[in-house]
Amino acid sequence: MKIEALVVEEKNAPFVREELELEQPGPGEVLVRVVASGVCHTDAITQAGDMPLPLPGVLGHEGSGVVEAIGEGVDSVVVGDHVIMGWPYCGQCRNCRRGEHRYCDLLGPAVASGQRFLGPQAGSSAYSRADGTTLSGHFFGQSSFATYSLANANALVTVDPEVPLELVGVLACGITTGAGAVLNTARPSAGESVVVYGAGAVGLAAIMAARNTPATTIIAIDLHDSRLELAQKYGATHTINSGRENALERILEVCGGPADYVIDCTGVVAVIEEAAEAVGMLGTLILIGGAPAQARFSLDHQRTLWGRTVVGTLGGSGTSQELIPALIDLYRQGRFPFDELVQYYAFDQVERAFGDSKSGQTIKPVLRIG
């Protein structure tokens, strides 16, 4: 079938709208008519060549839409279902069996090979041009910067039709990453402290989640006063503009010593190293932000030896089928207002969306597609 998609031809090339051919769903696959797709920092770094997706290719990994057709063996959804396309996973490896789909042994080929990674069609791409040449698709199992997408059935999360479908695609990655870092990775106890470096979409989602825990000190750090005002609105008990204040000194002052949990949403090496200094004995540094490829950071060995934990988290950990419905329930209860972070853009305004997000003008851009 013919679809419209945003194609990146080569490293640092722009997104160009193009007509492509997309195969019908094979075994275990579902054809989804894409309604909307969030625009994420991961798409930007892939365009820049910091993710190994072979180019040319179709990006997008925060898609929501309507099931149009199902492949052989699919019984988890039916045509007409409203769905979010979550992260792909094999379901068979040790980590998948543990309920940690984000850490599937096949995560690399699942998200960035540009090809199918499961079933009899593994190693092939369903995306091609009019001359028959194939190009990369299946980005995070969906390539949702397109009017239609092929997704793995086991990655789909069905959504109540009463929930705005164009809104919830962002729960496939960025918003869920921030919330899950708190709810699944940190899990703060009564009276503990949570510090969030970077109050963009992911950081604000972490702050919203922290407000739903027993943590009593929630500190947001950013360079933009406008974002810090939002952080305070969504649950931060304290805010720090690190352009005007020494963030580390203020953290130690507010917490009466080191923090229990510090979450880095920036991916900036200098910030990560500062964040590590804010964590004391038995404290935890949680890494979310995507640094450039091959980035390295250093830690003081002795202070780390004294019970400090450093852990990375992908996609909020856990499973889409558990975390996403929980966040939607919190949203419907008024306890997780992530909808207030979203600003919509037309399908072909992805470059503008990236620019507005980088400048701080927009917190969470979403492309309206169908």
Side-chain angles (χ1 to χ4, degrees):
M1 63 178 295
K2 295 185 184 303
I3 68 169
E4 295 287 324
L6 300 177
V7 177
V8 176
E9 189 67 27
E10 59 187 7
K11 179 180 176 180
N12 289 320
F15 288 84
V16 177
R17 189 165 180 168
E18 187 175 337
E19 185 177 84
L20 301 176
E21 292 285 341
L22 179 64
E23 296 177 7
Q24 291 296 316
E29 293 180 332
V30 174
L31 178 69
V32 177
R33 175 174 58 83
V34 182
V35 169
S37 180
V39 176
C40 178
H41 179 64
T42 301
D43 298 305
I45 65 173
T46 303
Q47 179 191 26
D50 286 326
M51 284 273 284
L53 183 78
L55 298 175
V58 183
L59 308 185
H61 65 290
E62 293 184 343
S64 58
V66 180
V67 174
E68 292 283 304
I70 59 176
E72 178 185 346
V74 174
D75 58 11
S76 55
V77 295
V78 298
V79 172
D81 277 351
H82 289 196
V83 295
I84 298 167
M85 292 178 277
W87 282 30
Y89 62 96
C90 75
Q92 302 299 319
C93 70
R94 186 182 187 189
N95 290 341
C96 283
R97 293 197 304 270
R98 289 171 168 173
E100 288 288 358
H101 297 169
R102 301 293 197 265
Y103 307 104
C104 173
D105 283 349
L106 297 180
L107 181 65
V111 303
S113 68
Q115 302 173 331
R116 296 173 169 103
F117 78 108
L118 288 178
Q121 299 175 96
S124 68
S125 173
Y127 296 77
S128 61
R129 287 177 159 142
D131 63 2
T133 58
T134 60
L135 65 169
S136 290
H138 313 282
F139 185 58
F140 280 74
Q142 56 180 281
S143 288
S144 55
F145 287 172
T147 51
Y148 288 85
S149 174
L150 276 185
N152 294 98
N154 66 357
L156 298 179
V157 178
T158 55
V159 181
D160 187 329
E162 294 184 0
V163 175
L165 188 55
E166 66 179 8
L167 168 66
V168 294
V170 296
L171 296 178
C173 185
I175 300 294
T176 302
T177 295
V182 173
L183 301 176
N184 285 332
T185 305
R187 299 184 180 184
S189 298
E192 289 192 315
S193 54
V194 176
V195 177
V196 178
Y197 274 85
V202 174
L204 290 171
I207 288 162
M208 289 181 188
R211 184 170 62 175
N212 286 285
T213 73
T216 53
T217 301
I218 304 170
I219 303 174
I221 304 171
D222 203 278
L223 293 169
H224 299 281
D225 286 335
S226 59
R227 292 189 174 190
L228 293 173
E229 289 171 6
L230 288 175
Q232 195 163 32
K233 175 182 177 181
Y234 296 131
T237 59
H238 301 79
T239 61
I240 301 170
N241 186 314
S242 54
R244 295 197 298 266
E245 298 183 84
N246 184 306
L248 182 57
E249 289 181 0
R250 283 285 290 137
I251 291 169
L252 298 177
E253 177 186 340
V254 170
C255 295
D260 296 304
Y261 301 95
V262 177
I263 301 172
D264 173 69
C265 303
T266 71
V268 177
V269 169
V271 175
I272 292 170
E273 292 178 342
E274 177 180 291
E277 293 302 306
V279 176
M281 289 190 288
L282 301 183
T284 302
L285 171 63
I286 301 172
L287 305 179
I288 295 179
Q294 307 304 314
R296 298 285 187 273
F297 64 91
S298 60
L299 300 174
D300 179 273
H301 173 266
Q302 189 173 53
R303 292 191 62 202
T304 305
L305 183 67
W306 292 356
R308 178 194 290 165
T309 298
V310 179
V311 60
T313 184
L314 292 174
S317 297
T319 73
S320 298
Q321 288 75 15
E322 291 180 345
L323 185 53
I324 290 176
L327 295 179
I328 291 176
D329 283 346
L330 289 173
Y331 156 71
R332 298 178 81 173
Q333 294 166 17
R335 298 164 60 193
F336 191 74
F338 73 97
D339 59 313
E340 298 180 12
L341 306 180
V342 168
Q343 181 170 327
Y344 293 101
Y345 292 78
F347 184 21
D348 55 3
Q349 290 182 317
V350 63
E351 300 286 358
R352 177 185 166 192
F354 279 130
D356 289 352
S357 179
K358 185 176 182 180
S359 70
Q361 181 176 335
T362 296
I363 299 296
K364 186 60 185 179
V366 173
L367 302 182
R368 282 192 171 112
I369 297 175

